[in-house]
Amino acid sequence: MSAGLDDTICAVATAPGEGGIGIIRLSGTKAVDIADRLATLRCRKSLASVSSHRLYLADLRPRPVVPSVAAQPAPSTASQFLDEVLVVVMRRPRSFTGEDVAEFHCHGGPLILQTLCEAIVSEGARLAEPGEFTKRAFLNGRMDLAQAEAVLDTIRAKTAGSLRIAQAQRRGLLSREIDAVRHELIGALAHVEAGLDFAEEDIAFVRRDELLVMLDTMNRRLSQLLDTAREGKLWREGASVAIAGRPNVGKSSLMNALARSDRAIVTAVPGTTRDLLDEWLHIKGLPVRLLDTAGIRDTKDPIEQEGIRRTRQAVDDADLVLALIDQSVALQEEDRTLLADLRKRNHIVVLNKSDLPSKIEKHEWPALSAGERGPVVISAVIGTGLDDLRERIRLHLGSEGLEAGDGVCITHLRHQLLLRRAQEALCEGSAALHEDLTGEFVAADLRRAADALGEITGAISTDDILDRIFSEFCIGK
Ligand code: GDP
């Protein structure tokens, strides 16, 4: 990704395809200038002189040839009327990127948006790279790195719970926690560097035992944050739950029953194109990708084969398996094999067709109990027991503790790894203190811990880190 903060960048900010409105965003020193050359305001003012953060009605008349800069270009014969738009200028630093920003709110047609983008580029801007607007917001100090990452999480949130967590991070709750620990660490580091070895002679310096207590407190705070990571991942990325069972036990019926009531608005996350056999749901607020193995069958169609290959892999990797058994017939050999296969996996035994008389023998029941909890009894067609099943799914995914959004939550693997690195360094610092090593060793450990925390918020960052983070964004964000 090219760094060039001097360039003025532009991109379509709305989703591809047709829409009521399509927005093109421009950011950089020439943003207002370029927008002014393309738009003729109905109020006859130039964009350079209008109020910031206010919408103005304008006619777009992009010209094929770049004219000299004119405050109020008169429509030339070469100009073609393209669209009637609303245009807004947001002057730095009070804009998303912290730079001068101009936006065109056009009719949402791909041809209009493409033509306007080309005109903007011919006037001296360049097309933005993925995430470049947000990257600029970070580089210009409008938000830190954890907040920038949460911009993407906010867009991608699949349930109300995930959205609350993303918004909390975007508003800086996580950053504040991390900064507080880092601040303390830097304070401790200053003491150590000021001469830990002479602490006994000089009361201004922190004592070794006091320092140990400080490190221990910080360590515990990092542990508390790390404890939220499992659930954080669940809220952000969702969990995958596979329905397994022999033919006709009611897998598709269960899938449909849950999909009818719990289907998520978003049907796929990037990287997991929607296959025939999966469905995004929210179960008790959690984003869950439900996989129906009923569709796994032999087929010659290469596209379907690929879909099935992916589903099979997803079932193998699923966080939880629902072992569906038809309780209206006696337990079959295939059922027993399935239960045996799942013994070592996170699974729930689900007895379906409870609206029909049970044919499961009493002595078979122990085989159906997963752990200390018995099977969940449902009827997929009538809908009984589904709420118990949802509750149990949530329990098995380990999310019974947290209500999303009631605190700071670690949702990114990157943050988790850095927190661990900070914690390891802190532990080494404590060990060095216990072993009476000299101040330099302790200082080096504390510095490593502070740097790792700094990488979370971007107080410390490299081009590599930024490129990796922002390349995940879409263009226009
Ligand atoms: P799959 O092959 O495992 O996907 O099973 P299906 O969902 O296709 O269901 C097989 C048959 O069982 C269908 O005729 C369903 O209507 C029926 N079935 C599924 N669930 C229930 C249930 O809870 N009660 C009753 N009585 N029939 C069910």
Side-chain angles (χ1 to χ4, degrees):
M1 190 183 284
S2 51
L5 273 177
D6 301 336
D7 296 349
T8 295
I9 54 171
C10 74
V12 179
T14 37
E18 292 177 11
I21 298 173
I23 297 177
I24 289 187
R25 197 189 228 177
L26 267 151
S27 179
T29 46
K30 290 193 277 182
V32 179
D33 225 27
I34 291 174
D36 206 14
R37 271 180 265 153
L38 298 166
T40 309
L41 268 53
R42 292 282 173 84
C43 64
R44 292 283 144 197
K45 286 184 182 164
S46 84
L47 272 180
S49 66
V50 298
S51 310
S52 185
H53 294 78
R54 289 189 66 167
L55 287 165
Y56 290 87
L57 187 63
D59 291 321
L60 274 188
R61 295 179 193 279
R63 280 160 292 186
V65 186
V66 183
S68 60
V69 180
Q72 287 187 28
S76 78
T77 46
S79 303
Q80 290 275 330
F81 173 82
L82 179 66
D83 198 11
E84 184 179 77
V85 300
L86 287 172
V87 57
V88 58
V89 164
M90 287 165 271
R91 293 211 167 72
R92 74 192 156 89
R94 286 179 51 230
S95 72
F96 178 72
T97 56
E99 304 171 332
D100 279 345
V101 167
E103 277 177 13
F104 292 110
H105 298 212
C106 314
H107 289 96
L111 181 63
I112 294 175
L113 296 173
Q114 190 190 333
T115 309
L116 180 54
C117 259
E118 284 166 5
I120 290 170
V121 168
S122 80
E123 295 281 352
R126 74 165 163 79
L127 291 176
E129 292 173 32
E132 200 172 0
F133 290 95
T134 315
K135 185 182 182 186
R136 286 187 174 202
F138 164 68
L139 291 174
N140 290 319
R142 295 293 284 169
M143 58 181 77
D144 68 31
L145 204 51
Q147 289 177 296
E149 286 172 302
V151 170
L152 190 60
D153 300 343
T154 302
I155 294 170
R156 290 192 177 158
K158 286 184 277 295
T159 69
S162 334
L163 181 59
R164 272 201 298 279
I165 288 178
Q167 294 286 29
Q169 188 176 320
R170 199 186 54 75
R171 293 201 321 273
L173 257 64
L174 171 65
S175 305
R176 275 205 285 283
E177 289 275 339
I178 301 287
D179 280 342
V181 181
R182 185 162 177 263
H183 191 77
E184 264 184 67
L185 254 172
I186 290 171
L189 183 60
H191 281 301
V192 174
E193 285 178 337
L196 180 84
D197 291 343
F198 310 105
E200 267 108 62
E201 291 145 45
D202 190 336
I203 50 161
F205 295 139
V206 69
R207 290 208 329 258
R208 209 171 272 265
D209 55 345
E210 282 174 349
L211 194 57
L212 274 168
V213 171
M214 280 167 78
L215 297 197
D216 191 47
T217 311
M218 288 182 238
N219 210 339
R220 252 180 294 142
R221 185 61 199 122
L222 296 188
S223 289
Q224 282 167 356
L225 283 173
L226 276 166
D227 284 346
T228 67
R230 206 183 107 75
E231 280 193 67
K233 181 173 177 286
L234 210 58
W235 285 108
R236 179 168 166 266
E237 294 173 16
S240 53
V241 176
I243 309 176
R246 59 186 177 76
N248 283 322
V249 292
K251 296 182 293 298
S252 304
S253 306
L254 175 58
M255 178 98 169
N256 290 336
L258 290 173
R260 253 196 311 277
S261 52
D262 303 338
R263 177 176 280 134
I265 300 166
V266 181
T267 53
V269 283
T272 62
T273 47
R274 197 194 171 291
D275 293 324
L276 308 165
L277 322 167
D278 73 345
E279 191 80 67
W280 273 101
L281 312 176
H282 36 97
I283 289 185
K284 299 268 164 192
L286 273 182
V288 167
R289 182 186 178 199
L290 195 63
L291 300 146
D292 177 8
T293 60
I296 298 185
R297 60 180 180 273
D298 289 331
T299 168
K300 295 258 176 309
D301 177 358
I303 295 174
E304 213 178 326
Q305 273 175 352
E306 175 55 21
I308 284 165
R309 189 193 64 73
R310 273 194 254 147
T311 305
R312 222 175 239 141
Q313 184 63 48
V315 169
D316 287 345
D317 297 342
D319 299 300
L320 172 67
V321 182
L322 306 182
L324 203 58
I325 309 275
D326 178 354
Q327 60 101 62
S328 71
V329 294
L331 209 61
Q332 312 281 302
E333 203 44 48
E334 248 182 286
D335 297 324
R336 289 197 190 89
T337 311
L338 174 69
L339 292 172
D341 286 349
L342 290 177
R343 221 172 1 227
K344 292 227 168 73
R345 294 194 58 182
N346 188 13
H347 74 284
I348 302 171
V349 179
V350 183
L351 301 184
N352 189 29
K353 310 196 186 180
S354 66
D355 52 301
L356 302 174
S358 173
K359 293 280 171 54
I360 305 250
E361 306 277 350
K362 270 271 173 306
H363 71 271
E364 304 271 24
W365 274 76
L368 301 173
S369 301
E372 67 250 44
R373 299 187 192 100
V376 181
V377 183
I378 65 158
S379 167
V381 289
I382 294 178
T384 47
L386 291 184
D387 216 45
D388 287 347
L389 180 59
R390 290 186 191 102
E391 199 51 62
R392 189 72 81 76
I393 288 174
R394 183 162 163 165
L395 212 63
H396 272 252
L397 293 174
S399 77
E400 70 275 31
L402 175 120
E403 281 306 323
D406 61 0
V408 172
C409 197
I410 301 298
T411 53
H412 285 253
L413 182 62
R414 189 181 83 84
H415 302 169
Q416 196 184 343
L417 296 177
L418 287 166
L419 281 171
R420 283 228 188 87
R421 201 196 293 168
Q423 207 174 30
E424 274 163 27
L426 272 183
C427 289
E428 280 163 28
S430 294
L433 281 171
H434 278 302
E435 288 164 26
D436 261 353
L437 295 183
T438 61
E440 288 97 86
F441 286 100
V442 182
D445 291 330
L446 299 195
R447 201 169 300 115
R448 263 192 303 127
D451 285 356
L453 296 182
E455 265 190 52
I456 295 178
T457 57
I460 291 175
S461 68
T462 63
D463 284 349
D464 269 3
I465 296 171
L466 298 186
D467 285 354
R468 214 171 326 125
I469 290 172
F470 290 106
S471 62
E472 272 190 45
F473 280 60
C474 45
I475 290 179
K477 191 60 235 169

